[in-house]
Amino acid sequence: MNDPHTLDLFAAPAEAAPAPPHPALHDTQALLALCERWVARGWLRALDRALVRFLLQEASDAPPLLLLGAALTSHQLGRGHVCLELSATLKAPDFALSLPPENDDLSDPPPLPSDVLAPLTLDAWQAAFDHPTLVSEGAGNTPLVLSREAGTARLYLRRYWDYEQTLHHGIQARLGVPDAPEDAADPTLLKRALDILFTPSETLDWQKAACALASRPRFAIVTGGPGTGKTTTVVKLLALLQTLQQAHTPARALRIRLAAPTGKAAARLNESIAGQVSRLPLDALEAMLNERHPSAPLTIPSDVTTLHRLLGARPDTRHFQHHAGNPLALDVLVVDEASMVDIEMMTALLRALPPRARLILLGDKDQLASVEAGAVLGDLCRRAEAAHYTPETAAWLEAATGQAVPSEYLDTQGQPLDQVIAMLRVSHRFDAASGIGQLASAINQPSSATSSRDKQQAVSQVLRDGYPDLRHAVINDERMLDALVLDGGAAHFPHGGEGRTDHHGQPIASPMGYRHYLDVLRAARPRDASLERDPITYATWASQVLTAYSRFQLLCALRKGPWGVEGLNLHIAKTLRADKRLFGSDHTLEKGWFEGRPVLVTQNDYALKLMNGDIGITLAVPDPRAPGQTLLRVAFPTDDPRHPIRWVLPSRLHAVETVFAMTVHKSQGSEFTHTALLLPPTLNPILTRELVYTGITRAREWLTVVEAKRGVLGEAVVREVLRVSGVG
């Protein structure tokens, strides 16, 4: 039986008699007391309460309704929203706060926003913002901005309104006339180059179309799901741009830079691009150029940096070395994993770009958005599914590619932004026989195209169809979880995970759990050698352990509680200790260092050359000062073939956490041979379609979807992240 004192935010509200207006709507002291209660419960941040106090210091006559709006706007920033949409907040007030926080059952709650705002009308709330000292409707220096556009009222903190305006103006300036004079000089050059880069196809090759579209403006987006060839496309695009540049100006090659939000994403892009560049038909492109005039060899960079390094992060400040007054020295900037870039960082990028530089964003529009405020890529790509290309764009694309655009992607009313977005629609990683790909497609159906029930049924059907790479389970007890993390549950996959081959016909190893990497750690440990005298042998060992570790990763939605990172990491460590694969006391396994401990770097550390998202394994190596004794060192992989492992003292690592379990947010930019996605037993606002989609697409060969309670997956896939902003 349900506890009558427990609130279910996800149930339909019961009808109740009208309540008198809450005193917080008209009494400043009552509002301050309400904020204190919300902060104490974890529903509101102390930072949000501090903003209310600051505004009162600036204007003691500030209406309580204005102060309440400011507190909720500030709180929305912490949840990823750029602003507070007033009418939407009045329709669903309880979603304006962090309800429920992790581990809060909401019993005996303080007054809810729905209780407080029930009698409030939109007109009355907007009237409270008529305070010139604190609020303006545009340019100025007030701390708050009220924007009224197309009948929608949004409340911003000044800084974020400025970010949004800079983003609008920066993109709009790059959506002007095509910036490719070489095409005008020789309209056949683009088509010839594209035909060299791509093999003939009877139907529209979306990668080829993406390259053509992005060759014209100074702003372009290439989006697509996992395995659709985003990296392949952008490498060919860079070769195309370099060819067009050197055909027009032979002596000056484009200055191209590549960047990603995290060190992990940068390392993956670096590795991918290096492989793709080696397969480019550069000789054929250079031969075509030499028909016109002698040309320098085409060069395509493969070095990738983080956005913070690119812009020159300045310690203890939000500012960067590069900005409008000191722009970046480049002609083309490619940003990978752009879904992870928040509005503040995207604005900093636009400000630091030279006016004539091209910006190309690369990413999956359906992945989780950035941790910080804004979902820039998702907002810009809202219409990408249907393309909305104008007849003029379609005719130009057909002339450039020799392939017609299907009629369902045409729109006589297409907007300028639509014409620079290319969505890759064919997955080369997941085919019709892939359960991972089919599940991703079922989950990713837009709400506008299917009902919630139909989507849930489509997801359930994929899980029941017996795909060889997919397993679905509901955990009934700890033994099921333990079996999963120990050996990956291979016996529960069709045919025990045996008999599968990849696209090249090579056998795919069966699913494995964490027991595998610890067995490799033991079996491959160097004998009769030391790290100092034989670094190659130890680097080989560490590389083997790291590779074995990457075979399996448990992902979860939460950080706290028994089903979050904190509880699961300790539970898994104890399970591996009971299996005699790890050794140490409870305290050591929870807070100390032990051999076999996998760690995730959570902050960039430029001194150690470690980036946010890097994963290392703790290994015991011989102590050169005490024969027979060992020391712990953490092994991190590098992209330097001469020194493939970076050995770091544990005492030098201050921003790391154990990573048997990793949040889906932290997994962005990574992929694992076998991924297990664990969903908690109770629905939480963080459980959304985007989170589930991001989690399952981290799997390369094997996927296990685990529910701690049946039905949570079905509820999660029909709930979408709706980040509020004026972008797009």
Side-chain angles (χ1 to χ4, degrees):
M1 181 177 294
N2 293 332
D3 184 343
H5 300 292
T6 300
L7 175 68
D8 182 2
L9 282 177
F10 305 101
E15 293 187 10
H22 193 282
L25 296 181
H26 52 79
D27 183 287
T28 300
Q29 293 305 313
L31 174 66
L32 291 174
L34 178 63
C35 288
E36 291 291 344
R37 292 191 65 188
W38 282 349
V39 170
R41 192 59 178 259
W43 294 5
L44 196 70
R45 301 178 301 172
L47 178 65
D48 311 324
R49 176 186 58 192
L51 175 64
V52 171
R53 291 174 175 171
F54 166 76
L55 295 177
L56 273 175
Q57 289 176 354
E58 296 295 304
S60 58
D61 62 338
L65 281 177
L66 185 157
L67 298 174
L68 177 60
L72 296 179
T73 301
S74 173
H75 190 71
Q76 291 294 77
L77 286 172
R79 303 177 66 206
H81 302 286
V82 174
C83 55
L84 181 75
E85 190 172 311
L86 301 186
S87 60
T89 301
L90 290 178
K91 290 177 182 176
D94 292 335
F95 287 96
L97 295 183
S98 293
L99 302 176
E102 293 179 21
N103 297 330
D104 188 342
D105 63 3
L106 292 176
S107 59
D108 190 26
L112 289 158
S114 54
D115 300 329
V116 177
L117 297 177
L120 187 61
T121 65
L122 180 60
D123 288 342
W125 206 3
Q126 289 188 82
F129 296 110
D130 185 13
H131 195 293
T133 302
L134 300 180
V135 187
S136 67
E137 294 198 10
N141 59 3
T142 56
L144 300 173
V145 176
L146 184 65
S147 173
R148 305 183 218 227
E149 294 179 321
T152 301
R154 301 186 187 96
L155 185 65
Y156 293 81
L157 298 191
R158 164 68 59 183
R159 184 197 306 153
Y160 286 86
W161 183 84
D162 287 342
Y163 290 155
E164 205 168 88
Q165 297 306 303
T166 300
L167 191 67
H168 277 301
H169 297 152
I171 292 176
Q172 193 65 39
R174 288 177 157 74
L175 292 181
V177 296
D179 187 31
E182 59 273 14
D183 291 348
D186 185 353
T188 65
L189 181 65
L190 174 63
K191 186 176 188 307
R192 288 187 65 192
L194 286 169
D195 288 342
I196 290 172
L197 288 165
F198 293 91
T199 56
S201 172
E202 294 183 2
T203 58
L204 181 61
D205 183 334
W206 284 103
Q207 294 186 13
K208 189 175 186 179
C211 287
L213 282 174
S215 71
R216 297 201 299 171
R218 287 176 285 136
F219 176 76
I221 298 175
V222 179
T223 186
T228 52
K230 295 186 291 294
T231 304
T232 301
T233 301
V234 81
V235 169
K236 291 184 177 182
L237 171 60
L238 296 180
L240 175 66
L241 293 177
Q242 201 69 279
T243 299
L244 298 178
Q245 168 70 16
Q246 292 185 210
H248 183 64
T249 311
R252 184 181 179 276
L254 290 172
R255 298 169 297 171
I256 300 172
R257 298 294 302 275
L258 308 166
T262 67
K264 185 72 173 179
R268 281 196 59 208
L269 181 61
N270 194 323
E271 181 180 346
S272 298
I273 284 186
Q276 295 290 343
V277 169
S278 65
R279 294 191 285 272
L280 284 174
L282 295 180
D283 290 345
L285 293 173
E286 290 167 359
M288 181 185 70
L289 289 176
N290 286 326
E291 294 174 7
R292 302 165 61 95
H293 43 61
S295 181
L298 293 172
T299 57
I300 310 299
S302 59
D303 291 335
V304 186
T305 187
T306 63
L307 293 175
H308 283 84
R309 274 188 170 173
L310 175 76
L311 293 175
R314 296 165 60 183
D316 303 320
T317 175
R318 306 177 82 101
H319 303 294
F320 296 96
Q321 294 174 7
H322 290 286
H323 44 75
N326 180 32
L328 293 161
L330 53 78
D331 301 302
V332 179
L333 174 62
V334 175
V335 179
D336 191 25
E337 296 289 355
S339 63
M340 299 169 65
V341 182
D342 60 84
I343 191 169
E344 181 176 1
M345 176 58 79
M346 194 68 77
T347 300
L349 275 176
L350 284 167
R351 286 173 175 164
L353 285 179
R356 306 300 295 177
R358 296 174 187 265
L359 175 61
I360 301 166
L361 302 182
L362 199 65
D364 186 343
K365 67 180 180 64
D366 297 307
Q367 277 193 188
L368 279 170
S370 59
V371 175
E372 303 298 330
V376 178
L377 186 72
D379 285 341
L380 294 175
C381 293
R382 283 177 185 168
R383 289 159 54 92
E385 201 79 36
H388 297 283
Y389 296 139
T390 63
E392 292 78 13
T393 296
W396 184 88
L397 266 177
E398 184 170 0
T401 65
Q403 300 164 341
V405 177
S407 59
E408 62 264 32
Y409 299 117
L410 302 184
D411 181 359
T412 57
Q413 303 300 314
Q415 300 172 4
L417 181 63
D418 299 326
Q419 315 312 305
V420 301
I421 299 175
M423 180 174 169
L424 307 181
R425 301 166 190 270
V426 179
S427 176
H428 304 281
R429 183 192 305 173
F430 305 130
D431 56 24
S434 167
I436 301 172
Q438 295 300 318
L439 184 60
S441 297
I443 289 172
N444 225 16
Q445 296 178 69
S447 297
S448 58
T450 182
S451 70
S452 295
R453 182 175 178 81
D454 287 344
K455 175 182 278 194
Q456 290 171 332
Q457 289 179 340
V459 169
S460 296
Q461 187 62 50
V462 173
L463 296 175
R464 291 195 302 266
D465 277 348
Y467 286 98
D469 58 342
L470 178 62
R471 177 197 174 201
H472 173 238
V474 177
I475 288 186
N476 298 318
D477 54 45
E478 289 185 354
R479 290 176 297 175
M480 291 183 64
L481 175 62
D482 294 345
L484 172 65
V485 299
L486 285 174
D487 64 16
H492 299 281
F493 281 87
H495 311 294
E498 299 290 342
R500 290 185 61 214
T501 58
D502 62 19
H503 295 298
H504 305 289
Q506 298 299 310
I508 296 173
S510 60
M512 297 179 180
Y514 289 132
R515 178 186 281 160
H516 171 63
Y517 91 89
L518 292 168
D519 286 345
V520 171
L521 185 157
R522 282 183 172 183
R525 187 192 302 277
R527 310 296 178 188
D528 302 321
S530 69
L531 178 59
E532 288 73 16
R533 293 195 308 269
D534 201 352
I536 295 178
T537 298
Y538 273 84
T540 300
W541 173 50
S543 297
Q544 290 175 312
V545 177
L546 286 161
T547 299
Y549 174 80
S550 70
R551 296 289 303 274
F552 176 77
Q553 181 64 59
L554 181 71
L555 301 181
C556 58
L558 308 176
R559 288 202 56 82
K560 299 179 180 179
W563 299 101
V565 164
E566 294 177 2
L568 286 170
N569 274 323
L570 181 57
H571 177 84
I572 294 169
K574 290 181 177 180
T575 299
L576 290 167
R577 180 180 62 186
D579 195 52
K580 299 190 181 343
R581 261 62 180 188
L582 291 181
F583 303 93
S585 66
D586 286 356
H587 178 80
T588 298
L589 294 181
E590 182 177 10
K591 298 182 179 180
W593 288 93
F594 50 90
E595 185 174 40
R597 181 191 181 192
V599 294
L600 175 76
V601 177
T602 57
Q603 293 179 14
N604 293 343
D605 189 327
Y606 297 109
L608 294 177
K609 298 182 180 180
L610 295 175
M611 297 293 111
N612 182 14
D614 286 349
I615 291 177
I617 301 289
T618 310
L619 300 173
V621 301
D623 185 346
R625 299 165 300 179
Q629 300 297 314
T630 60
L631 298 171
L632 293 180
R633 295 288 184 271
V634 186
F636 290 93
T638 76
D639 54 9
D640 183 352
R642 297 170 302 172
H643 305 285
I645 295 295
R646 178 171 292 111
W647 297 93
V648 182
L649 284 166
S651 59
R652 299 191 66 190
L653 295 169
H654 305 294
V656 295
E657 58 187 34
T658 302
V659 70
F660 290 119
M662 178 191 296
T663 62
V664 174
H665 277 91
K666 286 290 187 181
S667 74
Q668 287 183 268
S670 301
E671 66 177 19
F672 310 96
T673 306
H674 179 195
T675 297
L677 176 63
L678 175 60
L679 301 178
T682 56
L683 201 58
N684 185 290
I686 201 172
L687 290 175
T688 62
R689 172 183 70 86
E690 290 82 359
L691 181 133
V692 176
Y693 170 79
T694 301
I696 67 173
T697 54
R698 300 311 90 201
R700 187 167 63 246
E701 302 291 354
W702 305 99
L703 172 66
T704 301
V705 180
V706 183
E707 295 180 87
K709 181 181 179 182
R710 188 176 298 279
V712 172
L713 174 64
E715 292 297 322
V717 298
V718 297
R719 301 172 64 240
E720 298 186 356
V721 174
L722 297 175
R723 287 200 168 180
V724 181
S725 78
V727 177

